[in-house]
mmCIF file of all heavy atoms in Angstrom:
data_model
loop_
_atom_site.group_PDB
_atom_site.id
_atom_site.type_symbol
_atom_site.label_atom_id
_atom_site.label_comp_id
_atom_site.label_asym_id
_atom_site.label_seq_id
_atom_site.Cartn_x
_atom_site.Cartn_y
_atom_site.Cartn_z
ATOM 1 N N PRO A 630 17.763 17.979 -5.375
ATOM 2 C CA PRO A 630 18.805 18.905 -5.788
ATOM 3 C C PRO A 630 18.435 20.375 -5.605
ATOM 4 O O PRO A 630 19.326 21.182 -5.249
ATOM 5 C CB PRO A 630 19.012 18.542 -7.276
ATOM 6 C CG PRO A 630 17.890 17.676 -7.647
ATOM 7 C CD PRO A 630 17.399 17.019 -6.405
ATOM 8 N N MET A 633 19.128 21.160 -2.037
ATOM 9 C CA MET A 633 20.557 21.251 -1.816
ATOM 10 C C MET A 633 21.077 22.579 -2.343
ATOM 11 O O MET A 633 21.907 23.219 -1.766
ATOM 12 C CB MET A 633 21.278 20.097 -2.534
ATOM 13 C CG MET A 633 21.113 18.758 -1.870
ATOM 14 S SD MET A 633 21.721 18.655 -0.172
ATOM 15 C CE MET A 633 23.502 18.530 -0.514
ATOM 16 N N ASP A 637 23.093 25.455 -0.427
ATOM 17 C CA ASP A 637 24.356 25.968 -0.945
ATOM 18 C C ASP A 637 24.300 27.475 -1.103
ATOM 19 O O ASP A 637 25.211 28.193 -0.727
ATOM 20 C CB ASP A 637 24.667 25.343 -2.312
ATOM 21 C CG ASP A 637 25.233 23.925 -2.182
ATOM 22 O OD1 ASP A 637 25.517 23.518 -1.057
ATOM 23 O OD2 ASP A 637 25.367 23.277 -3.242
ATOM 24 N N SER B 802 17.946 17.299 -13.778
ATOM 25 C CA SER B 802 19.126 17.339 -12.938
ATOM 26 C C SER B 802 20.197 18.245 -13.539
ATOM 27 O O SER B 802 21.111 18.693 -12.884
ATOM 28 C CB SER B 802 19.695 15.931 -12.739
ATOM 29 O OG SER B 802 20.048 15.390 -13.980
ATOM 30 N N GLU B 803 20.055 18.535 -14.826
ATOM 31 C CA GLU B 803 21.013 19.426 -15.505
ATOM 32 C C GLU B 803 20.971 20.833 -14.932
ATOM 33 O O GLU B 803 21.879 21.646 -15.101
ATOM 34 C CB GLU B 803 20.771 19.522 -16.986
ATOM 35 C CG GLU B 803 20.857 18.183 -17.700
ATOM 36 C CD GLU B 803 19.516 17.842 -18.332
ATOM 37 O OE1 GLU B 803 18.914 18.733 -18.931
ATOM 38 O OE2 GLU B 803 19.099 16.652 -18.221
ATOM 39 N N ASN B 804 19.886 21.128 -14.262
ATOM 40 C CA ASN B 804 19.738 22.482 -13.687
ATOM 41 C C ASN B 804 20.587 22.676 -12.440
ATOM 42 O O ASN B 804 20.694 23.808 -11.975
ATOM 43 C CB ASN B 804 18.277 22.722 -13.318
ATOM 44 C CG ASN B 804 17.421 22.859 -14.566
ATOM 45 O OD1 ASN B 804 17.865 23.391 -15.561
ATOM 46 N ND2 ASN B 804 16.197 22.362 -14.483
ATOM 47 N N PHE B 805 21.165 21.603 -11.952
ATOM 48 C CA PHE B 805 21.935 21.731 -10.699
ATOM 49 C C PHE B 805 23.337 21.157 -10.885
ATOM 50 O O PHE B 805 23.610 20.486 -11.861
ATOM 51 C CB PHE B 805 21.159 21.005 -9.594
ATOM 52 C CG PHE B 805 19.757 21.533 -9.401
ATOM 53 C CD1 PHE B 805 18.673 20.898 -9.987
ATOM 54 C CD2 PHE B 805 19.565 22.724 -8.705
ATOM 55 C CE1 PHE B 805 17.414 21.411 -9.825
ATOM 56 C CE2 PHE B 805 18.303 23.248 -8.569
ATOM 57 C CZ PHE B 805 17.187 22.607 -9.128
ATOM 58 N N THR B 806 24.178 21.456 -9.906
ATOM 59 C CA THR B 806 25.564 21.012 -10.047
ATOM 60 C C THR B 806 25.645 19.495 -9.757
ATOM 61 O O THR B 806 24.733 18.920 -9.194
ATOM 62 C CB THR B 806 26.463 21.756 -9.034
ATOM 63 O OG1 THR B 806 26.104 21.292 -7.683
ATOM 64 C CG2 THR B 806 26.302 23.231 -9.094
ATOM 65 N N ASN B 807 26.737 18.941 -10.166
ATOM 66 C CA ASN B 807 26.981 17.524 -9.914
ATOM 67 C C ASN B 807 26.951 17.192 -8.433
ATOM 68 O O ASN B 807 26.353 16.194 -8.028
ATOM 69 C CB ASN B 807 28.342 17.108 -10.500
ATOM 70 C CG ASN B 807 28.282 16.906 -11.990
ATOM 71 O OD1 ASN B 807 27.185 16.837 -12.552
ATOM 72 N ND2 ASN B 807 29.429 16.809 -12.604
ATOM 73 N N GLN B 808 27.576 18.059 -7.682
ATOM 74 C CA GLN B 808 27.599 17.808 -6.236
ATOM 75 C C GLN B 808 26.204 17.887 -5.652
ATOM 76 O O GLN B 808 25.845 17.024 -4.848
ATOM 77 C CB GLN B 808 28.495 18.848 -5.536
ATOM 78 C CG GLN B 808 29.124 18.281 -4.244
ATOM 79 C CD GLN B 808 29.425 19.354 -3.197
ATOM 80 O OE1 GLN B 808 28.795 20.396 -3.178
ATOM 81 N NE2 GLN B 808 30.387 19.032 -2.403
ATOM 82 N N GLN B 809 25.430 18.845 -6.087
ATOM 83 C CA GLN B 809 24.045 18.953 -5.595
ATOM 84 C C GLN B 809 23.230 17.710 -5.958
ATOM 85 O O GLN B 809 22.539 17.155 -5.106
ATOM 86 C CB GLN B 809 23.388 20.203 -6.169
ATOM 87 C CG GLN B 809 23.814 21.462 -5.467
ATOM 88 C CD GLN B 809 23.585 22.730 -6.276
ATOM 89 O OE1 GLN B 809 23.093 22.668 -7.393
ATOM 90 N NE2 GLN B 809 23.991 23.868 -5.748
ATOM 91 N N ASN B 810 23.377 17.249 -7.149
ATOM 92 C CA ASN B 810 22.681 16.049 -7.576
ATOM 93 C C ASN B 810 23.146 14.805 -6.807
ATOM 94 O O ASN B 810 22.330 13.973 -6.366
ATOM 95 C CB ASN B 810 22.811 15.841 -9.075
ATOM 96 C CG ASN B 810 21.924 16.769 -9.874
ATOM 97 O OD1 ASN B 810 20.736 16.881 -9.594
ATOM 98 N ND2 ASN B 810 22.507 17.420 -10.846
ATOM 99 N N GLU B 811 24.455 14.682 -6.695
ATOM 100 C CA GLU B 811 25.002 13.503 -6.062
ATOM 101 C C GLU B 811 24.598 13.435 -4.591
ATOM 102 O O GLU B 811 24.145 12.380 -4.107
ATOM 103 C CB GLU B 811 26.514 13.483 -6.186
ATOM 104 C CG GLU B 811 27.104 12.096 -5.939
ATOM 105 C CD GLU B 811 28.639 12.159 -5.775
ATOM 106 O OE1 GLU B 811 29.186 13.260 -5.916
ATOM 107 O OE2 GLU B 811 29.221 11.111 -5.513
ATOM 108 N N LEU B 812 24.795 14.527 -3.885
ATOM 109 C CA LEU B 812 24.460 14.538 -2.462
ATOM 110 C C LEU B 812 22.987 14.391 -2.219
ATOM 111 O O LEU B 812 22.574 13.725 -1.290
ATOM 112 C CB LEU B 812 25.010 15.797 -1.792
ATOM 113 C CG LEU B 812 26.539 15.860 -1.613
ATOM 114 C CD1 LEU B 812 26.961 17.191 -1.051
ATOM 115 C CD2 LEU B 812 27.013 14.741 -0.700
ATOM 116 N N ALA B 813 22.192 15.045 -3.062
ATOM 117 C CA ALA B 813 20.738 14.894 -2.904
ATOM 118 C C ALA B 813 20.327 13.438 -3.071
ATOM 119 O O ALA B 813 19.468 12.941 -2.358
ATOM 120 C CB ALA B 813 20.021 15.782 -3.931
ATOM 121 N N ASN B 814 20.992 12.806 -3.985
ATOM 122 C CA ASN B 814 20.714 11.363 -4.230
ATOM 123 C C ASN B 814 20.995 10.506 -2.991
ATOM 124 O O ASN B 814 20.219 9.644 -2.632
ATOM 125 C CB ASN B 814 21.538 10.913 -5.417
ATOM 126 C CG ASN B 814 20.777 9.946 -6.257
ATOM 127 O OD1 ASN B 814 19.582 10.151 -6.492
ATOM 128 N ND2 ASN B 814 21.431 8.858 -6.648
ATOM 129 N N ILE B 815 22.129 10.788 -2.383
ATOM 130 C CA ILE B 815 22.505 10.034 -1.178
ATOM 131 C C ILE B 815 21.550 10.343 -0.045
ATOM 132 O O ILE B 815 21.035 9.469 0.632
ATOM 133 C CB ILE B 815 23.947 10.377 -0.763
ATOM 134 C CG1 ILE B 815 24.918 10.002 -1.899
ATOM 135 C CG2 ILE B 815 24.324 9.673 0.509
ATOM 136 C CD1 ILE B 815 26.327 10.521 -1.655
ATOM 137 N N LYS B 886 31.968 11.241 2.505
ATOM 138 C CA LYS B 886 31.510 12.316 1.614
ATOM 139 C C LYS B 886 30.480 13.189 2.314
ATOM 140 O O LYS B 886 30.550 14.424 2.264
ATOM 141 C CB LYS B 886 30.919 11.707 0.327
ATOM 142 C CG LYS B 886 31.340 12.343 -0.927
ATOM 143 C CD LYS B 886 30.771 11.599 -2.145
ATOM 144 C CE LYS B 886 31.729 10.619 -2.759
ATOM 145 N NZ LYS B 886 31.176 9.917 -3.925
#
Side-chain angles (χ1 to χ4, degrees):
Chain A
M633 287 299 283
D637 282 352
Chain B
S802 61
E803 301 118 44
N804 290 325
F805 302 98
T806 69
N807 281 347
Q808 209 208 26
Q809 282 158 2
N810 283 311
E811 197 193 358
L812 287 176
N814 217 42
I815 300 171
K886 224 176 263 180

